[in-house]
Structure formats: C-alpha cells, structure tokens
Amino acid sequence: MKGIVFVEFLEMVEQQFSADLADDLIDNSDLPSGGAYTAVGTYDHTEIVTLVLALSQESGIPVPDLIKAFGEYLFGRFFELYPSFFEGVSDCMDFLSRIEDVIHVEVKKLYPSAQLPKFDIDYPDRDHLVMVYHSDRHLGDLAEGLIQQSIKHFKEQITLERENLDEEGATVRFTLTRAA
Ligand code: HEM
C-alpha cells in the first residue's frame, strides 16, 4: 500500500485526536516498517489494519467506523492533492463512474506499485450508479467513506445502499440513487 495512505491516516489521527496519540499508535504497534512512512514508499497493507486496530483500542470507536471516517477524510485530501481529477466533472455520479477507467488508471501511472481495487461500474442513466468493489484487501469500509464524502462534496441528494456480496468483505455492491 502506498505511503500516502499511511501519511494521511496519521495526519487524520493528529487532527482529530492528538499528535501524541499518533506517536503512541506507531510506538505500540511493532510495525515491520517502523512507522516512518513517506508518501511515495510502499508498505504492507496489513500495517494500516494494525494502526486502525490500535486506534480502535485507544478510542473505543469500532474499526469499521474508523475506516469509513478515514475514507471521508481521504476524499477531502484527494480533492486538494489531485484537482485535475475533478476538472470537467459535472456531478457526483459522473465523478464516481470514472474511478475504474480514468482515475485509478492515472493513479497507477503515478504510482506503478499501487495496489488498487477493481470496480465494476454500471451507470445506466444520470440518476443511477452501481459500483461493485472487488479487492483482496477488504477495504469496502474505505470505499464507503470515499463514496459518502463524494456525495457530500457535490452537495447532491443521493441515497447510498451497501450490500456485502461475500462473507470476507472482498466484494461489496454500492447502489447510488438520486432522490427525486
Ligand atoms: C481523486 C480521487 C482518487 C485518487 C487520487 C485515488 C487514489 C488512490 C490511491 C493512491 C490508493 C492507494 C493504492 C495503494 O495503496 O497501493 C487508492 C486506493 C483505494 N481507492 Fe482510490 N483514489 C481516488 C478515489 C477513490 C474513490 C472515490 C474510491 C471509492 C469509490 C476509491 C477507492 C479506493 C479503495 C477502496 C482503495 C484501497 C485499496 C483496495 O481496496 O484494494 N478511490 N486510491
């Protein structure tokens, strides 16, 4: 997993909890990398799970809630860091429908070692979008947070429904419907 994800996660912990807590998570987690992340480095994705578990133990907030909250935070950072992905985009579904064929394709060019999820996209009309998430990293909660924040970002009335299509969380269907 790319270091940018870790850097942003620790930044969120500093902002929403404290810098001391961010340091404690690293010190107490016995991470193979030692926790000295750089944005362009690549690290074992299980380290993010370890850090989220540690944050859950410290804060008492369940792991899925923390991962979703991180997805919401990360969307805001992506908007700041990669404005070009938002150019010429007319609305939320337009943006999300480009994840697989445009945005993550560009991400892969920027970071060839990035391990990205696969999304099957069905965008039959401007009011309906179905995104089926596939990933061995089981980060459907992260996808949910990113999608949720993208709906908020575009200030649109869209309902989001989530269905886990397997036990492990490797396949998740997100159905977006524009409210009438
Ligand atoms: C400007 C928009 C976006 C950028 C720049 C971006 C970039 C990235 C990057 C750099 C990673 C890390 C890859 C790695 O660690 O190896 C990633 C992973 C991921 N992205 Fe995106 N992304 C964007 C939007 C989205 C959106 C809107 C979604 C949800 C629909 C999404 C879903 C995910 C998920 C779930 C992962 C975790 C990896 C996995 O589940 O296998 N991304 N993305």
Side-chain angles (χ1 to χ4, degrees):
M1 176 164 272
K2 296 310 296 179
I4 181 176
V5 177
F6 294 88
V7 170
E8 294 300 337
F9 176 76
L10 292 169
E11 186 65 35
M12 179 190 77
V13 175
E14 282 187 22
Q15 277 185 25
Q16 299 185 1
F17 296 88
S18 71
D20 282 347
L21 180 59
D23 289 342
D24 288 349
L25 296 183
I26 292 172
D27 292 344
N28 301 336
S29 290
D30 193 20
L31 301 158
S33 72
Y37 302 109
T38 65
V40 291
T42 303
Y43 308 89
D44 191 325
H45 83 275
T46 57
E47 289 197 15
I48 199 81
V49 179
T50 304
L51 287 165
V52 174
L53 265 173
L55 178 59
S56 174
Q57 274 156 10
E58 288 292 328
S59 65
I61 301 171
V63 166
D65 292 356
L66 288 172
I67 299 180
K68 275 181 233 168
F70 177 46
E72 294 184 16
Y73 176 85
L74 199 56
F75 179 91
R77 292 295 291 146
F78 283 160
F79 182 65
E80 288 168 6
L81 294 169
Y82 304 100
S84 63
F85 293 146
F86 293 84
E87 278 163 21
V89 169
S90 56
D91 61 27
C92 175
M93 290 192 194
D94 186 21
F95 172 73
L96 291 173
S97 69
R98 298 178 190 209
I99 286 298
E100 180 68 15
D101 291 343
V102 182
I103 298 173
H104 276 172
V105 173
E106 292 303 317
V107 170
K108 191 80 185 168
K109 287 185 201 161
L110 287 171
Y111 303 113
S113 60
Q115 293 175 298
L116 296 160
K118 178 177 185 302
F119 283 99
D120 291 324
I121 302 286
D122 185 19
Y123 186 32
D125 61 64
R126 294 181 55 82
D127 296 335
H128 300 90
L129 173 66
V130 180
M131 310 172 72
V132 180
Y133 165 87
H134 304 269
S135 169
D136 293 341
R137 286 165 295 286
H138 305 175
L139 289 170
D141 291 326
L142 189 70
E144 185 176 334
L146 284 158
I147 295 170
Q148 201 62 264
Q149 191 58 33
S150 118
I151 294 170
K152 281 190 207 151
H153 170 87
F154 287 98
K155 300 188 173 73
E156 290 177 74
Q157 295 297 317
I158 292 172
T159 57
L160 174 62
E161 187 195 343
R162 168 181 175 162
E163 295 154 88
N164 293 337
L165 300 185
D166 62 22
E167 293 285 309
E168 304 83 49
T171 316
V172 183
R173 177 161 56 216
F174 295 100
T175 304
L176 290 87
T177 311
R178 193 179 304 282

